[in-house]
PDB file of all heavy atoms in Angstrom:
ATOM      1  N   GLU J  47      78.741  60.133 130.875  1.00  0.00           N
ATOM      2  CA  GLU J  47      78.082  60.063 129.596  1.00  0.00           C
ATOM      3  C   GLU J  47      76.764  59.246 129.711  1.00  0.00           C
ATOM      4  O   GLU J  47      75.634  59.526 129.182  1.00  0.00           O
ATOM      5  CB  GLU J  47      78.960  59.409 128.543  1.00  0.00           C
ATOM      6  CG  GLU J  47      78.330  59.521 127.114  1.00  0.00           C
ATOM      7  CD  GLU J  47      79.358  59.076 126.046  1.00  0.00           C
ATOM      8  OE1 GLU J  47      80.563  59.408 126.202  1.00  0.00           O
ATOM      9  OE2 GLU J  47      78.928  58.503 125.053  1.00  0.00           O
ATOM     10  N   ALA J  48      76.891  58.102 130.443  1.00  0.00           N
ATOM     11  CA  ALA J  48      75.660  57.215 130.666  1.00  0.00           C
ATOM     12  C   ALA J  48      74.638  57.947 131.439  1.00  0.00           C
ATOM     13  O   ALA J  48      73.464  57.838 131.232  1.00  0.00           O
ATOM     14  CB  ALA J  48      76.066  55.948 131.361  1.00  0.00           C
ATOM     15  N   ALA J  49      75.111  58.706 132.481  1.00  0.00           N
ATOM     16  CA  ALA J  49      74.203  59.442 133.267  1.00  0.00           C
ATOM     17  C   ALA J  49      73.505  60.487 132.543  1.00  0.00           C
ATOM     18  O   ALA J  49      72.268  60.728 132.694  1.00  0.00           O
ATOM     19  CB  ALA J  49      74.925  60.009 134.564  1.00  0.00           C
ATOM     20  N   ILE J  50      74.252  61.149 131.623  1.00  0.00           N
ATOM     21  CA  ILE J  50      73.580  62.267 130.881  1.00  0.00           C
ATOM     22  C   ILE J  50      72.547  61.635 129.906  1.00  0.00           C
ATOM     23  O   ILE J  50      71.461  62.145 129.686  1.00  0.00           O
ATOM     24  CB  ILE J  50      74.696  63.047 130.128  1.00  0.00           C
ATOM     25  CG1 ILE J  50      75.447  63.903 131.153  1.00  0.00           C
ATOM     26  CG2 ILE J  50      74.018  63.933 128.971  1.00  0.00           C
ATOM     27  CD1 ILE J  50      76.672  64.677 130.472  1.00  0.00           C
ATOM     28  N   ASN J  51      72.904  60.583 129.325  1.00  0.00           N
ATOM     29  CA  ASN J  51      71.985  59.907 128.366  1.00  0.00           C
ATOM     30  C   ASN J  51      70.777  59.386 129.083  1.00  0.00           C
ATOM     31  O   ASN J  51      69.616  59.305 128.406  1.00  0.00           O
ATOM     32  CB  ASN J  51      72.667  58.704 127.575  1.00  0.00           C
ATOM     33  CG  ASN J  51      73.501  59.104 126.565  1.00  0.00           C
ATOM     34  OD1 ASN J  51      73.281  60.222 125.746  1.00  0.00           O
ATOM     35  ND2 ASN J  51      74.694  58.514 126.282  1.00  0.00           N
ATOM     36  N   SER J  52      70.850  59.140 130.348  1.00  0.00           N
ATOM     37  CA  SER J  52      69.605  58.641 131.073  1.00  0.00           C
ATOM     38  C   SER J  52      68.753  59.848 131.509  1.00  0.00           C
ATOM     39  O   SER J  52      67.638  59.525 132.034  1.00  0.00           O
ATOM     40  CB  SER J  52      70.037  57.798 132.183  1.00  0.00           C
ATOM     41  OG  SER J  52      70.701  58.559 133.244  1.00  0.00           O
ATOM     42  N   LEU J  53      69.241  61.034 131.478  1.00  0.00           N
ATOM     43  CA  LEU J  53      68.446  62.180 131.877  1.00  0.00           C
ATOM     44  C   LEU J  53      67.284  62.413 131.004  1.00  0.00           C
ATOM     45  O   LEU J  53      67.342  62.160 129.799  1.00  0.00           O
ATOM     46  CB  LEU J  53      69.325  63.478 131.846  1.00  0.00           C
ATOM     47  CG  LEU J  53      70.292  63.814 133.004  1.00  0.00           C
ATOM     48  CD1 LEU J  53      71.018  65.030 132.560  1.00  0.00           C
ATOM     49  CD2 LEU J  53      69.662  63.971 134.308  1.00  0.00           C
ATOM     50  N   PRO J  54      66.213  62.923 131.582  1.00  0.00           N
ATOM     51  CA  PRO J  54      65.127  63.411 130.701  1.00  0.00           C
ATOM     52  C   PRO J  54      65.681  64.574 129.966  1.00  0.00           C
ATOM     53  O   PRO J  54      66.459  65.420 130.409  1.00  0.00           O
ATOM     54  CB  PRO J  54      63.967  63.789 131.550  1.00  0.00           C
ATOM     55  CG  PRO J  54      64.599  63.967 132.896  1.00  0.00           C
ATOM     56  CD  PRO J  54      65.949  63.252 132.956  1.00  0.00           C
ATOM     57  N   LYS J  55      65.373  64.691 128.676  1.00  0.00           N
ATOM     58  CA  LYS J  55      65.893  65.822 127.801  1.00  0.00           C
ATOM     59  C   LYS J  55      65.363  67.109 128.323  1.00  0.00           C
ATOM     60  O   LYS J  55      64.189  67.224 128.844  1.00  0.00           O
ATOM     61  CB  LYS J  55      65.424  65.668 126.332  1.00  0.00           C
ATOM     62  CG  LYS J  55      66.057  64.535 125.696  1.00  0.00           C
ATOM     63  CD  LYS J  55      65.791  64.507 124.225  1.00  0.00           C
ATOM     64  CE  LYS J  55      66.546  63.423 123.490  1.00  0.00           C
ATOM     65  NZ  LYS J  55      66.122  62.129 123.626  1.00  0.00           N
ATOM     66  N   LEU J  56      66.214  68.117 128.303  1.00  0.00           N
ATOM     67  CA  LEU J  56      65.708  69.459 128.758  1.00  0.00           C
ATOM     68  C   LEU J  56      64.754  69.967 127.714  1.00  0.00           C
ATOM     69  O   LEU J  56      65.094  69.963 126.521  1.00  0.00           O
ATOM     70  CB  LEU J  56      67.003  70.411 128.815  1.00  0.00           C
ATOM     71  CG  LEU J  56      68.000  70.096 129.824  1.00  0.00           C
ATOM     72  CD1 LEU J  56      69.183  71.051 129.824  1.00  0.00           C
ATOM     73  CD2 LEU J  56      67.426  70.225 131.300  1.00  0.00           C
ATOM     74  N   SER J  57      63.593  70.463 128.147  1.00  0.00           N
ATOM     75  CA  SER J  57      62.579  70.962 127.207  1.00  0.00           C
ATOM     76  C   SER J  57      61.904  72.143 127.814  1.00  0.00           C
ATOM     77  O   SER J  57      61.848  72.351 129.091  1.00  0.00           O
ATOM     78  CB  SER J  57      61.641  69.800 126.944  1.00  0.00           C
ATOM     79  OG  SER J  57      60.924  69.395 128.009  1.00  0.00           O
ATOM     80  N   PHE J  58      61.276  72.898 126.993  1.00  0.00           N
ATOM     81  CA  PHE J  58      60.478  74.084 127.389  1.00  0.00           C
ATOM     82  C   PHE J  58      59.492  74.404 126.379  1.00  0.00           C
ATOM     83  O   PHE J  58      59.614  74.043 125.154  1.00  0.00           O
ATOM     84  CB  PHE J  58      61.464  75.289 127.755  1.00  0.00           C
ATOM     85  CG  PHE J  58      62.327  75.615 126.504  1.00  0.00           C
ATOM     86  CD1 PHE J  58      61.956  76.539 125.673  1.00  0.00           C
ATOM     87  CD2 PHE J  58      63.568  74.977 126.299  1.00  0.00           C
ATOM     88  CE1 PHE J  58      62.731  76.895 124.566  1.00  0.00           C
ATOM     89  CE2 PHE J  58      64.403  75.326 125.204  1.00  0.00           C
ATOM     90  CZ  PHE J  58      63.945  76.299 124.335  1.00  0.00           C
ATOM     91  N   THR J  59      58.632  75.304 126.692  1.00  0.00           N
ATOM     92  CA  THR J  59      57.634  75.952 125.709  1.00  0.00           C
ATOM     93  C   THR J  59      57.838  77.421 125.791  1.00  0.00           C
ATOM     94  O   THR J  59      57.977  77.988 126.855  1.00  0.00           O
ATOM     95  CB  THR J  59      56.185  75.627 126.208  1.00  0.00           C
ATOM     96  OG1 THR J  59      55.983  74.191 126.285  1.00  0.00           O
ATOM     97  CG2 THR J  59      55.222  76.205 125.304  1.00  0.00           C
TER      98      THR J  59
END
Side-chain angles (χ1 to χ4, degrees):
E47 189 170 323
I50 289 173
N51 283 325
S52 69
L53 281 176
K55 289 185 175 76
L56 294 176
S57 64
F58 58 92
T59 302

